[in-house]
Amino acid sequence: YLQVDSLGLGYPSHHLAREIVIEVSDQAVYSGEALKLLSQEPYDGCAFPLARTLTFAIVTDEDEGGDDMGSLAIAAATISAFVQRVKRMAPVVTKIGVRPSGFARPHYVPGHLFSILVSQLFQLVSSVEYVSYFDSHVPVVLQLDAICNLLHIRYAFESSVDQLIQLARLNAPTLQSLTIESEIDIDVSGLLRDADGNYVTYPCLLSLKLWDLGTHVAPQRLTFKGAIPFPSLRVLRMWLSHSLEDDTFFRGNALTLECLEIRLGDSIVQAIRRHKVFTPGSHPKLQHVGVEYLDGIQPDSLATIAEAIEFELSIGPKATMRDIGVLPSSIVMATFISSLGNHTCIKVLTLPHLSPVLWDVITLIKTLPLLSDLHTMSPRIGSMPAGITHDDLPSFMTSTFAPMGEKFRCWHLNICSMGSFAVEAQCVLLLALVCPNYAAAAPSVHSTFMDKMEETIASAMFKQYAPRLRRLLSYKLC
């Protein structure tokens, strides 16, 4: 089985495709059937001279079976011929991804031939991606020494990341981005020391993402005194079930770091404080800071909501994009607003766990004059001002608050329940009446919400403002 997909395949413009997906049976590659299919219609004269990305979706029908050396040698040669044919089909490809097809057998065991196929594909390019959803818990074994000069590596959901970590170390001099997404705890110490115990430096690494879904374990009591493994890092996303005890990941990149997303537990909070990682002016380029809490629990070292907010705001105090990790509480929004102090440069703010009251949103926008985008849960109107009825709200808003928030343009609502959306629509429209450049609400249930918006605009409550509010119905998602 083999199928090649691209935008416009079969049409005169298919040669303009930038990305190709080849869905192929592993057995067809080993037997030579896939190579034969590529020499027949419709693929025989097919070429993609502009394609940069090539994704292989592997259909795994059965395990490889026997280890007859003669058969394995023939299959390996056939794999090599197939890979070279693909290279001729897409001569300038720079990124190759390998993932299971939707038809892959979940308990497939990657064997010797599968390892040869993946290794040879990875040798063609500078950017590789391997995504595994196999339940066999048998990792693919790569021919590591032959895969060199890589710029980008992404591994996802493999049962063991040891191979990846070794591959990353071997390519440390050239590597620019590294992503590990794992279902188990990641032992990051393997990235930082080689087999002989020597420190490893990644001089060109700009982006590092470490994300595991492992259960919470005790922190690794590891320190790396004097090591500066990531001196050029711009993006750090560290969502680990455990953390190191020192400032290794932050060492030497204070002047280059632009984006930080981190999952905080007591260990890393204490390490940041102990090593004074973030001080006024220490990270001049840090613009995006996102925080979550390990296991969804606020660390004991951040005893109160106010202390947690203060700690989060101390990380890159000049950041213009912030994802605030504090958990739902009746005092969170008021405490957050009162804690902002000089942090008024925020342009994009995410409060992912909060369902705010409309009046708090108004106060927030007035406090942050540069705010353009706000992400929250479903809002509510809250207590009515004295002497004001529900139907009086549009006129009250325009006479009391308009104009405000000249930079504000988009309220992203994460609506989790499929209710009537009446309150959410009213909140959005009331805010649109006072923010002159408000262009869009971006709910997570777009079409249904927009129907309710249209209905609410036509209601008696908003009818006189309908001409200026209808622009919200024709927006593109922010």
Side-chain angles (χ1 to χ4, degrees):
Y1 174 80
L2 179 140
Q3 182 174 343
V4 180
D5 287 322
S6 78
L7 293 177
L9 182 62
Y11 296 90
S13 60
H14 78 265
H15 63 283
L16 299 177
R18 299 297 199 273
E19 182 171 349
I20 313 167
V21 177
I22 297 181
E23 189 171 25
V24 61
S25 161
D26 59 341
Q27 298 298 322
V29 175
Y30 309 153
S31 68
E33 187 63 26
L35 184 61
K36 186 185 299 182
L37 289 171
L38 285 179
S39 65
Q40 300 172 359
E41 288 284 350
Y43 307 124
D44 56 336
C46 201
F48 302 91
L50 302 181
R52 296 284 182 173
T53 300
L54 177 55
T55 301
F56 281 85
I58 308 293
V59 180
T60 50
D61 301 317
E62 56 187 66
D63 294 340
E64 291 175 16
D67 349 343
D68 176 82
M69 297 305 293
S71 300
L72 287 176
I74 294 172
T78 305
I79 291 170
S80 181
F82 173 78
V83 170
Q84 291 306 313
R85 174 65 181 88
V86 169
K87 178 62 175 175
R88 292 195 298 274
M89 179 186 291
V92 298
V93 68
T94 58
K95 176 182 178 180
I96 285 183
V98 177
R99 60 174 174 80
S101 160
F103 301 102
R105 191 161 60 86
H107 296 286
Y108 173 77
V109 177
H112 180 64
L113 295 178
F114 185 83
S115 298
I116 291 175
L117 173 60
V118 176
S119 297
Q120 290 202 12
L121 289 172
F122 283 179
Q123 290 174 45
L124 297 179
V125 291
S126 60
S127 179
V128 300
E129 179 175 293
Y130 181 78
V131 179
S132 172
Y133 294 106
F134 301 135
D135 296 331
S136 64
H137 301 294
V138 177
V140 63
V141 179
L142 299 174
Q143 299 170 337
L144 295 175
D145 291 340
I147 307 173
C148 55
N149 298 319
L150 292 181
L151 302 179
H152 309 282
I153 300 175
R154 176 177 177 252
Y155 245 45
F157 307 113
E158 176 68 314
S159 58
S160 170
V161 297
D162 294 343
Q163 280 266 301
L164 166 68
I165 287 175
Q166 191 176 349
L167 182 65
R169 286 203 312 260
L170 290 171
N171 288 273
T174 58
L175 204 58
Q176 294 180 9
S177 70
L178 173 62
T179 297
I180 307 176
E181 300 171 26
S182 175
E183 294 182 332
I184 60 175
D185 301 318
I186 301 172
D187 181 2
V188 295
S189 61
L191 282 175
L192 307 178
R193 280 198 178 107
D194 63 20
D196 298 323
N198 301 312
Y199 289 142
V200 179
T201 299
Y202 299 79
C204 302
L205 195 69
L206 305 179
S207 174
L208 175 63
K209 178 180 179 181
L210 302 174
W211 179 54
D212 73 46
L213 299 177
T215 55
H216 181 42
V217 297
Q220 299 177 53
R221 304 288 174 179
L222 300 173
T223 58
F224 299 87
K225 293 181 179 177
I228 303 180
F230 312 115
S232 304
L233 207 60
R234 296 179 185 173
V235 177
L236 175 59
R237 293 182 170 96
M238 190 164 58
W239 291 61
L240 299 175
S241 294
H242 49 65
S243 57
L244 300 180
E245 290 292 286
D246 64 14
D247 60 340
T248 303
F249 285 91
F250 303 103
R251 203 177 293 150
N253 51 48
L255 298 181
T256 62
L257 196 63
E258 299 173 3
C259 174
L260 172 65
E261 294 182 7
I262 192 168
R263 183 160 56 177
L264 293 178
D266 273 314
S267 170
I268 198 162
V269 170
Q270 292 165 7
I272 288 173
R273 283 174 166 171
R274 183 168 60 252
H275 293 278
K276 297 181 174 58
V277 174
F278 298 100
T279 58
S282 64
H283 292 72
K285 293 185 178 180
L286 186 55
Q287 293 297 304
H288 182 188
V289 176
V291 172
E292 276 289 352
Y293 293 129
L294 183 59
D295 296 336
I297 300 172
Q298 190 170 307
D300 292 338
S301 51
L302 301 176
T304 66
I305 292 290
E307 187 177 2
I309 292 173
E310 182 182 356
F311 180 80
E312 290 192 37
L313 292 175
S314 73
I315 300 175
K318 298 299 182 182
T320 60
M321 300 175 64
R322 285 197 173 273
D323 303 343
I324 301 296
V326 289
L327 303 177
S329 166
S330 59
I331 66 167
V332 165
M333 183 63 95
T335 305
F336 175 72
I337 293 172
S338 64
S339 301
L340 283 170
N342 295 324
H343 302 279
T344 56
C345 57
I346 298 173
K347 297 179 181 178
V348 179
L349 178 64
T350 301
L351 300 167
H353 306 295
L354 297 183
S355 297
V357 172
L358 176 63
W359 314 115
D360 285 337
V361 173
I362 290 172
T363 304
L364 181 67
I365 293 173
K366 292 170 69 175
T367 306
L368 298 174
L370 301 181
L371 188 67
S372 65
D373 291 69
L374 177 65
H375 301 247
T376 71
M377 300 284 282
S378 297
R380 57 193 192 280
I381 293 176
S383 301
M384 300 291 292
I388 300 299
T389 68
H390 192 78
D391 289 342
D392 293 334
L393 281 175
S395 59
F396 171 78
M397 292 286 289
T398 54
S399 62
T400 307
F401 300 112
M404 56 168 271
E406 292 187 0
K407 302 289 186 181
F408 193 73
R409 67 179 189 89
C410 194
W411 191 359
H412 305 254
L413 303 180
N414 183 12
I415 302 175
C416 297
S417 62
M418 294 295 288
S420 69
F421 308 128
V423 173
E424 291 88 349
Q426 289 175 9
C427 287
V428 165
L429 295 175
L430 288 169
L431 197 59
L433 288 175
V434 298
C435 296
N437 296 311
Y438 191 139
S444 53
V445 281
H446 176 249
S447 60
T448 309
F449 183 81
M450 295 310 294
D451 291 341
K452 176 55 68 174
M453 286 268 286
E454 186 169 11
E455 177 186 327
T456 307
I457 289 172
S459 69
M461 183 177 178
F462 289 95
K463 191 172 183 179
Q464 73 176 94
Y465 304 98
R468 57 191 287 197
L469 293 176
R470 284 202 181 97
R471 73 182 190 279
L472 299 179
L473 302 176
S474 59
Y475 76 93
K476 296 180 179 180
L477 281 176
C478 299

